[in-house]
Amino acid sequence: MKRPESHLIQEEAERLFESALPREWVRREHIPDYGIDYEVEVWEQGRFTGLQFAVQVKGVTGKKLTSGKARFPFETAHFDDYLKKRIPVYLVVIHVRKGIGYWVFMQEYILTELRNKPWRDQTTVTVYLPPSNLLSESKLLRQSVENADKYVAKLHPAAIPAAIAASRERIEALDPRFAVEIHATEKGIH
Protein backbone atom coordinates (compact mmCIF):
# COMPACT_ATOMS: atom_id res chain seq x y z
CA MET A 1 0.00 0.00 0.00
CA LYS A 2 1.34 3.39 -1.01
CA ARG A 3 0.93 6.39 1.28
CA PRO A 4 -1.13 9.22 -0.25
CA GLU A 5 0.92 12.13 -1.55
CA SER A 6 -1.33 14.55 0.37
CA HIS A 7 -0.24 12.95 3.68
CA LEU A 8 3.44 13.29 2.80
CA ILE A 9 2.93 16.95 1.84
CA GLN A 10 1.10 17.69 5.08
CA GLU A 11 3.74 15.99 7.22
CA GLU A 12 6.50 17.94 5.49
CA ALA A 13 4.56 21.19 5.97
CA GLU A 14 4.21 20.47 9.69
CA ARG A 15 7.95 19.72 9.98
CA LEU A 16 8.78 22.98 8.23
CA PHE A 17 6.32 24.88 10.44
CA GLU A 18 7.83 23.51 13.65
CA SER A 19 11.38 24.23 12.51
CA ALA A 20 10.52 27.82 11.49
CA LEU A 21 9.35 28.87 14.96
CA PRO A 22 11.84 30.18 17.52
CA ARG A 23 13.22 27.34 19.69
CA GLU A 24 11.80 28.84 22.89
CA TRP A 25 8.22 28.86 21.65
CA VAL A 26 6.24 25.89 22.91
CA ARG A 27 4.21 23.98 20.31
CA ARG A 28 1.44 21.58 21.21
CA GLU A 29 0.13 19.43 18.41
CA HIS A 30 -3.61 18.74 18.37
CA ILE A 31 -4.45 15.11 17.71
CA PRO A 32 -6.99 14.57 16.37
CA ASP A 33 -7.03 17.75 14.31
CA TYR A 34 -10.42 19.49 14.15
CA GLY A 35 -9.45 22.63 12.26
CA ILE A 36 -6.48 23.41 14.52
CA ASP A 37 -3.15 21.62 14.18
CA TYR A 38 -1.18 23.39 16.94
CA GLU A 39 -1.40 25.70 19.90
CA VAL A 40 1.73 27.76 20.38
CA GLU A 41 2.93 29.63 23.47
CA VAL A 42 5.33 32.53 22.97
CA TRP A 43 8.27 32.34 25.40
CA GLU A 44 11.13 34.84 25.57
CA GLN A 45 14.26 34.71 27.72
CA GLY A 46 12.91 31.64 29.51
CA ARG A 47 9.59 33.25 30.48
CA PHE A 48 6.05 32.88 29.16
CA THR A 49 4.88 36.18 27.64
CA GLY A 50 1.19 35.40 28.10
CA LEU A 51 0.78 35.22 24.32
CA GLN A 52 -0.54 32.09 22.69
CA PHE A 53 -2.16 31.29 19.38
CA ALA A 54 -3.69 28.43 17.42
CA VAL A 55 -2.48 27.35 13.99
CA GLN A 56 -3.92 25.44 11.05
CA VAL A 57 -1.06 24.32 8.80
CA LYS A 58 -1.61 23.50 5.13
CA GLY A 59 1.01 22.20 2.75
CA VAL A 60 1.08 22.88 -1.00
CA THR A 61 3.38 21.95 -3.86
CA GLY A 62 1.98 23.80 -6.87
CA LYS A 63 2.15 27.44 -7.80
CA LYS A 64 -0.23 29.35 -5.53
CA LEU A 65 0.77 32.92 -6.30
CA THR A 66 -1.46 35.47 -7.94
CA SER A 67 -1.27 39.28 -7.91
CA GLY A 68 1.73 39.08 -5.58
CA LYS A 69 -0.16 37.18 -2.89
CA ALA A 70 -0.09 33.57 -1.80
CA ARG A 71 -3.57 32.08 -1.98
CA PHE A 72 -5.19 29.00 -0.59
CA PRO A 73 -8.70 27.54 -1.07
CA PHE A 74 -9.90 27.00 2.49
CA GLU A 75 -13.01 25.26 3.82
CA THR A 76 -15.40 27.64 5.56
CA ALA A 77 -16.68 24.94 7.93
CA HIS A 78 -14.22 26.04 10.64
CA PHE A 79 -14.75 29.81 10.37
CA ASP A 80 -17.49 30.06 13.00
CA ASP A 81 -15.33 27.98 15.37
CA TYR A 82 -12.38 30.30 14.77
CA LEU A 83 -14.52 33.34 15.55
CA LYS A 84 -15.54 31.77 18.88
CA LYS A 85 -11.95 31.06 19.94
CA ARG A 86 -10.53 33.23 22.70
CA ILE A 87 -7.01 33.04 21.28
CA PRO A 88 -5.84 34.15 17.82
CA VAL A 89 -6.07 31.56 15.04
CA TYR A 90 -3.57 31.62 12.18
CA LEU A 91 -3.64 29.86 8.84
CA VAL A 92 -0.12 28.90 7.78
CA VAL A 93 0.37 27.76 4.18
CA ILE A 94 3.74 26.22 3.37
CA HIS A 95 5.10 25.52 -0.09
CA VAL A 96 6.94 22.33 0.82
CA ARG A 97 9.19 22.17 -2.26
CA LYS A 98 10.40 25.75 -1.78
CA GLY A 99 10.37 25.62 2.03
CA ILE A 100 8.51 28.95 2.23
CA GLY A 101 5.57 29.58 4.53
CA TYR A 102 3.04 32.40 4.78
CA TRP A 103 0.54 33.20 7.53
CA VAL A 104 -2.63 35.18 8.07
CA PHE A 105 -4.58 35.98 11.26
CA MET A 106 -7.95 34.34 10.58
CA GLN A 107 -10.41 36.07 12.93
CA GLU A 108 -9.52 39.48 11.51
CA TYR A 109 -9.41 38.12 7.96
CA ILE A 110 -12.90 36.64 8.28
CA LEU A 111 -14.41 39.78 9.82
CA THR A 112 -12.72 42.29 7.50
CA GLU A 113 -11.74 40.68 4.18
CA LEU A 114 -14.85 38.49 4.00
CA ARG A 115 -17.23 41.02 5.56
CA ASN A 116 -19.32 41.63 2.43
CA LYS A 117 -18.92 38.15 1.00
CA PRO A 118 -21.42 35.30 1.45
CA TRP A 119 -18.85 32.89 2.90
CA ARG A 120 -21.48 31.22 5.10
CA ASP A 121 -23.19 30.03 1.90
CA GLN A 122 -19.96 28.62 0.43
CA THR A 123 -18.03 25.46 1.25
CA THR A 124 -14.66 27.08 0.42
CA VAL A 125 -13.23 30.55 -0.07
CA THR A 126 -9.86 31.59 -1.38
CA VAL A 127 -7.79 33.05 1.45
CA TYR A 128 -5.06 35.47 0.37
CA LEU A 129 -1.92 35.52 2.51
CA PRO A 130 0.19 38.69 2.28
CA PRO A 131 3.63 37.96 0.76
CA SER A 132 5.25 39.99 3.57
CA ASN A 133 3.86 37.55 6.17
CA LEU A 134 6.72 35.10 5.84
CA LEU A 135 6.88 32.35 8.43
CA SER A 136 10.66 32.80 8.52
CA GLU A 137 10.17 36.33 9.94
CA SER A 138 9.41 35.32 13.52
CA LYS A 139 9.65 38.90 14.86
CA LEU A 140 6.86 39.98 12.50
CA LEU A 141 4.77 36.96 13.49
CA ARG A 142 5.36 37.68 17.18
CA GLN A 143 4.21 41.31 16.73
CA SER A 144 1.15 40.09 14.85
CA VAL A 145 0.31 37.66 17.66
CA GLU A 146 0.53 40.50 20.18
CA ASN A 147 -1.85 42.65 18.09
CA ALA A 148 -4.10 39.66 17.39
CA ASP A 149 -4.34 38.93 21.11
CA LYS A 150 -5.75 42.44 21.65
CA TYR A 151 -8.10 42.02 18.68
CA VAL A 152 -9.49 38.74 20.05
CA ALA A 153 -9.86 40.24 23.53
CA LYS A 154 -12.11 42.89 21.97
CA LEU A 155 -14.17 40.16 20.28
CA HIS A 156 -14.65 38.35 23.61
CA PRO A 157 -14.54 41.12 26.22
CA ALA A 158 -15.03 40.68 29.93
CA ALA A 159 -16.31 44.19 30.74
CA ILE A 160 -20.01 44.95 30.14
CA PRO A 161 -19.54 47.98 27.82
CA ALA A 162 -16.96 46.09 25.80
CA ALA A 163 -19.24 43.04 25.62
CA ILE A 164 -22.12 45.17 24.30
CA ALA A 165 -19.84 46.80 21.69
CA ALA A 166 -18.53 43.38 20.63
CA SER A 167 -22.07 42.02 20.31
CA ARG A 168 -23.04 44.98 18.13
CA GLU A 169 -19.98 44.50 15.89
CA ARG A 170 -20.59 40.76 15.59
CA ILE A 171 -24.26 41.27 14.62
CA GLU A 172 -23.43 44.05 12.16
CA ALA A 173 -20.81 41.79 10.54
CA LEU A 174 -23.61 39.38 9.58
CA ASP A 175 -25.15 42.01 7.28
CA PRO A 176 -23.36 45.37 7.00
CA ARG A 177 -26.46 47.00 5.47
CA PHE A 178 -27.92 47.30 8.96
CA ALA A 179 -26.76 49.32 11.95
CA VAL A 180 -27.43 47.75 15.31
CA GLU A 181 -28.28 49.55 18.53
CA ILE A 182 -28.16 47.51 21.72
CA HIS A 183 -29.85 48.47 24.95
CA ALA A 184 -28.96 46.51 28.07
CA THR A 185 -30.96 46.56 31.27
CA GLU A 186 -31.12 44.21 34.21
CA LYS A 187 -34.08 42.56 32.45
CA GLY A 188 -32.12 41.71 29.32
CA ILE A 189 -30.52 42.92 26.12
CA HIS A 190 -32.62 44.43 23.34
Side-chain angles (χ1 to χ4, degrees):
M1 172 181 226
K2 186 176 177 184
R3 289 187 67 203
E5 181 72 12
S6 62
H7 291 192
L8 298 172
I9 292 168
Q10 184 63 24
E11 285 177 9
E12 180 62 17
E14 290 172 5
R15 274 195 288 278
L16 290 167
F17 167 73
E18 289 188 26
S19 68
L21 295 181
R23 283 188 4 215
E24 270 194 302
W25 292 13
V26 176
R27 315 132 177 84
R28 290 188 178 84
E29 191 172 2
H30 278 217
I31 299 174
D33 160 20
Y34 294 110
I36 298 291
D37 290 313
Y38 294 89
E39 279 194 27
V40 179
E41 292 180 353
V42 178
W43 287 67
E44 292 172 347
Q45 299 173 354
R47 295 179 185 227
F48 179 48
T49 63
L51 298 174
Q52 58 187 48
F53 60 104
V55 179
Q56 178 67 38
V57 176
K58 296 292 184 181
V60 297
T61 57
K63 187 175 180 182
K64 296 281 186 181
L65 295 174
T66 180
S67 305
K69 292 184 179 184
R71 60 182 167 84
F72 186 79
F74 197 71
E75 294 178 12
T76 59
H78 300 295
F79 284 10
D80 280 323
D81 295 336
Y82 292 170
L83 293 174
K84 291 175 188 169
K85 288 246 182 244
R86 294 185 178 269
I87 63 171
V89 176
Y90 282 79
L91 169 63
V92 173
V93 177
I94 298 177
H95 193 295
V96 296
R97 289 188 183 137
K98 295 180 180 179
I100 298 173
Y102 302 93
W103 52 264
V104 65
F105 168 43
M106 288 303 291
Q107 286 106 319
E108 184 177 42
Y109 188 90
I110 293 164
L111 292 174
T112 58
E113 298 298 319
L114 302 179
R115 181 180 178 126
N116 294 319
K117 297 186 173 121
W119 63 265
R120 284 181 171 84
D121 300 329
Q122 298 173 227
T123 55
T124 63
V125 296
T126 299
V127 175
Y128 292 90
L129 299 93
S132 60
N133 290 0
L134 287 168
L135 186 58
S136 59
E137 299 290 334
S138 61
K139 288 182 183 180
L140 181 63
L141 176 58
R142 193 250 185 249
Q143 183 62 51
S144 174
V145 171
E146 188 172 330
N147 294 336
D149 186 61
K150 294 173 187 168
Y151 186 95
V152 171
K154 286 171 69 178
L155 288 178
H156 303 286
I160 293 170
I164 291 170
S167 293
R168 181 181 42 75
E169 289 177 23
R170 203 168 20 256
I171 294 167
E172 286 179 347
L174 294 173
D175 191 338
R177 296 175 296 168
F178 297 98
V180 175
E181 188 174 305
I182 297 177
H183 298 277
T185 67
E186 46 200 36
K187 294 182 181 180
I189 297 174
H190 307 282

